[in-house]
Amino acid sequence: MRTLVVVDAANVVGSVPDGWWHDRRGAAERLRDRLVAYADEGIAGHPGPLDIVLVVEGAARGVASVPSVRVDSAPGSGDDRIVEVAAEAADRPCVVVTADRELRRRVAESGAECVGPRTVRP
């Protein structure tokens, strides 16, 4: 069964002060494009192929999906949507990429594993 990797776009993009705040949508698109390689290659402890969902919110809403990375535009809180996606995946391995402590606690309740942003953003 393929592992689902759910990426907290706001948290991962915000983990590196590279001017992302000037173009949040562009930063989310660049992250999405970097994630494509992980779909085939996998991440530490989870060999590919992987199913990857990038959850975006706010100004990044509307970023399009690409082959290998589905983009989910949260209608409200990105954290709430990530919790929902992780809960929907309770029957399969699920990894959430975020450094947000409260979000980590919330998704752990559905059995998701959590890893930090450096997993997908060296």
Side-chain angles (χ1 to χ4, degrees):
M1 182 174 290
R2 288 167 68 131
T3 298
L4 173 65
V5 176
V6 184
V7 180
D8 179 353
N11 188 268
V12 173
V13 165
S15 69
V16 177
D18 61 2
W20 58 264
W21 50 89
H22 296 295
D23 181 12
R24 293 169 193 256
R25 184 184 181 101
E29 289 170 339
R30 288 187 297 278
L31 173 59
R32 175 205 59 201
D33 295 345
R34 281 195 308 273
L35 292 172
V36 170
Y38 294 105
D40 288 329
E41 297 170 10
I43 59 174
H46 299 277
L50 305 171
D51 291 331
I52 299 180
V53 175
L54 177 65
V55 177
V56 297
E57 63 186 348
R61 282 189 191 102
V63 168
S65 296
V66 295
S68 303
V69 179
R70 177 172 64 92
V71 180
D72 188 324
S73 292
S77 161
D79 288 2
D80 290 347
R81 182 64 189 137
I82 292 165
V83 170
E84 291 170 0
V85 172
E88 291 165 1
D91 62 336
R92 66 191 284 199
C94 180
V95 178
V96 174
V97 182
T98 188
D100 182 313
R101 288 184 185 150
E102 176 61 16
L103 179 57
R104 285 174 169 245
R105 184 195 64 74
R106 291 175 65 195
V107 298
E109 292 175 2
S110 64
E113 175 186 343
C114 292
V115 296
R118 288 188 181 156
T119 303
V120 297
R121 187 167 188 177

